[in-house]
């Protein structure tokens, strides 16, 4: 059993910052990658940022230069620092962890990020 607990969402004004956290607990082993996805109303879910076990990262073009993903391996926690937020960043953000020798994907419950103009 794996649990992902997210925190850090909220309501901010355009230009402000938020930091999301996602802590994984339970039967944690062989994490391949951790990442953040988001889904806005009426839109498809999209990958925001991911970090692989070796430390490599990738970002959606829309957040490059503004968001930074990082992880604390000792705490099995992934972070998403979001700066210069825009109204179009408004969405439910969900944490994702891929782990195991036969990769399995696990999801957090989601946290709402709302950016007002």
């Amino acid at each position: 059993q794996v649990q992902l607990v997210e925190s850090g969402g909220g309501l901010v004004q355009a230009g402000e910052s938020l930091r999301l956290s996602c802590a994984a607990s339970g039967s944690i082993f062989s994490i391949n990658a951790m990442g953040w996805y988001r889904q806005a109303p009426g839109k498809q879910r999209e990958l925001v940022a991911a970090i692989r076990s070796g430390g490599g990262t990738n970002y959606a073009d829309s957040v490059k230069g503004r968001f930074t993903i990082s992880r604390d391996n000792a705490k099995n926690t992934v972070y998403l620092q979001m700066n210069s937020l825009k109204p179009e960043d408004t969405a439910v953000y969900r944490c994702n962890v891929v782990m195991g020798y036969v990769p399995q994907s696990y999801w957090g419950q989601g946290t709402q990020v709302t950016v007002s103009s």
Side-chain angles (χ1 to χ4, degrees), residues 2 7 12 14 16 18 21 24 29-30 39 42 48 52 56 63 69 73-74 85 88 90-91 99 106:
V2 176
S7 60
V12 297
E16 294 184 338
L18 281 174
S21 300
F29 67 99
S30 188
Q39 188 166 18
V48 178
R52 295 177 289 280
V63 307
I69 190 169
N73 292 330
L85 282 160
E88 51 263 43
T90 295
M99 71 175 78
Y106 300 88

Side-chain angles (χ1 to χ4, degrees), residues 57-74:
T57 59
N58 57 290
Y59 295 89
D61 287 343
S62 60
V63 307
K64 284 179 180 177
R66 299 188 298 122
F67 291 10
T68 302
I69 190 169
S70 61
R71 61 187 284 186
D72 184 331
N73 292 330

Side-chain angles (χ1 to χ4, degrees), residues 21-102:
S21 300
C22 172
S25 62
S27 300
I28 306 298
F29 67 99
S30 188
I31 293 178
N32 300 314
M34 305 179 82
W36 291 93
Y37 288 73
R38 68 186 180 186
Q39 188 166 18
K43 295 188 177 181
Q44 288 190 331
R45 182 176 64 196
E46 65 171 343
L47 173 67
V48 178
I51 183 166
R52 295 177 289 280
S53 58
T57 59
N58 57 290
Y59 295 89
D61 287 343
S62 60
V63 307
K64 284 179 180 177
R66 299 188 298 122
F67 291 10
T68 302
I69 190 169
S70 61
R71 61 187 284 186
D72 184 331
N73 292 330
K75 297 180 179 179
N76 291 321
T77 299
V78 62
Y79 306 95
L80 185 67
Q81 178 66 42
M82 305 185 294
N83 298 330
S84 302
L85 282 160
K86 303 176 180 181
E88 51 263 43
D89 294 317
T90 295
V92 174
Y93 286 69
R94 295 184 72 188
C95 172
N96 174 262
V97 175
V98 178
M99 71 175 78
Y101 304 114
V102 178

